[in-house]
Amino acid sequence: MKKISFIFVAVTLMACSSEMDSPKNQLTARLSSLAENGRIAYAHQDDLAYGHAWCVEDWESDALERSDVKDVAGKYPAMVGFDLGDIEHGSEKNLDGVPFGLMRKAALQHIARGGMVTFSWHPDNLVTGGDAWDVSSDQVVKSILPGGEKHDEFMVWLQRAADFIESLGDVAVIFRPWHENLASWFWWGGKLCTPEEYQELYRMTWRYFTKERGLSNILWCYSPNGPIPAGEYMSRYPGDEYVDILGTDIYEFVAPGESMADAGARFGAEVKDMLSTLVTLGAGHNKLICFSETGLEGIPDANWWCNALYPAIQGFPISYVLTWRNAHDRPGHFYGPWKGYGGEEDFKAFAAQDKILLLD
Ligand code: BMA
């Protein structure tokens, strides 16, 4: 009897300890510890695939070691973001021309060097044949849910996205589907479906990945556009069971007639307000929080990193902040630093802050 209970306890402990060490738990612990220590990991979208005016040509032979952030600050971003848009068609490249093979190789390499990876997804519109921004029909979400006309076809799209995540193997990543869902610029947006339909879309995605495919190393991020009040933020929240991280996407822009200084001040106030809301919600729901997307297109403010972004985020336990991509084929479409851009020194000073984490 004693022996049996000893074995039982030992097996239970082993099961617990292997679960504790799971890649998902390790990534969770790492993000929590960053937040507890007031540190914020810096993340950059598509950083290892291309940068301002350069692009990896042959990813299989390329070492994938170039990075605009590293070119400027001498270090890689602590986290790299990639987008799965077009994976739903079984395409070889994503919507911005990044080969999925490159994405897999770069993601695994970045994790192996101690970095973290997050995935977003801008899937096309299955009903109209348009892209993620095609909001001409408010029937899309409804028709891809169970019982809808396009459900079976959509499940193939989910299957292809899950195949890609599965192909990464035993590593943990952040997945941030159905983002900016309170605005109405994507087909899953606020005016394009009911709160219940949106929640079911998120839960269906989670259930398929987690339950049917057994993909247990994903940290699920819910990231509506901000700034918005807590009530609105939660109005389409899928539920605690489906979400690990509460995020938000807020960009700075200069409104017509607005000065750069006023735009920066407005952005700062909006971000602080929204992050304060996330702090409260995160504590109440026992979730990590992050600043899932931000930036100022073309960064016309030479001191944006230290004068606008840093004061807006410092002191908040957000674990990471991601700035959007540096398009290689659109000179003005960049949100991260690059060698030769006017604010290099400012970015270096931002990256040198104790509280900001990059990767050596
Ligand atoms: C947008 C722009 C687009 C891009 C999309 C998905 O914000 O950068 O050019 O296709 O994100 O990455």
Side-chain angles (χ1 to χ4, degrees), residues 45-46 83 95-96 122 133 251 324-325 330 333 335:
Q45 187 74 1
D46 280 349
D83 196 276
L95 75 172
D96 298 315
H122 290 84
W133 293 265
Y251 283 82
W324 203 241
R325 67 199 195 100
R330 283 163 65 189
H333 192 60
Y335 299 84

Side-chain angles (χ1 to χ4, degrees), residues 257-319:
E258 197 179 26
S259 71
M260 188 59 73
D262 286 351
R266 182 171 49 79
F267 170 76
E270 288 172 357
V271 170
K272 282 186 195 164
D273 202 32
M274 189 72 229
L275 296 184
S276 303
T277 300
L278 290 192
V279 170
T280 308
L281 293 173
H285 292 260
N286 196 20
K287 302 293 172 195
L288 292 161
I289 63 170
C290 73
F291 194 1
S292 36
E293 271 186 49
T294 190
L296 169 63
E297 188 178 24
I299 325 181
D301 175 353
N303 299 308
W304 185 74
W305 300 93
C306 288
N307 285 0
L309 182 63
Y310 188 71
I313 61 175
Q314 69 88 25
F316 287 102
I318 53 174
S319 65

Side-chain angles (χ1 to χ4, degrees), residues 345-358:
E345 291 310 315
D346 177 53
F347 181 78
K348 279 195 226 172
F350 168 79
Q353 296 283 342
D354 272 359
K355 299 291 184 201
I356 300 296
L357 180 75
L358 276 77

Side-chain angles (χ1 to χ4, degrees), residues 20-31:
M20 299 242 321
D21 289 345
S22 75
K24 175 166 177 169
N25 286 341
Q26 285 176 20
L27 181 55
T28 305
R30 185 167 176 199
L31 293 169

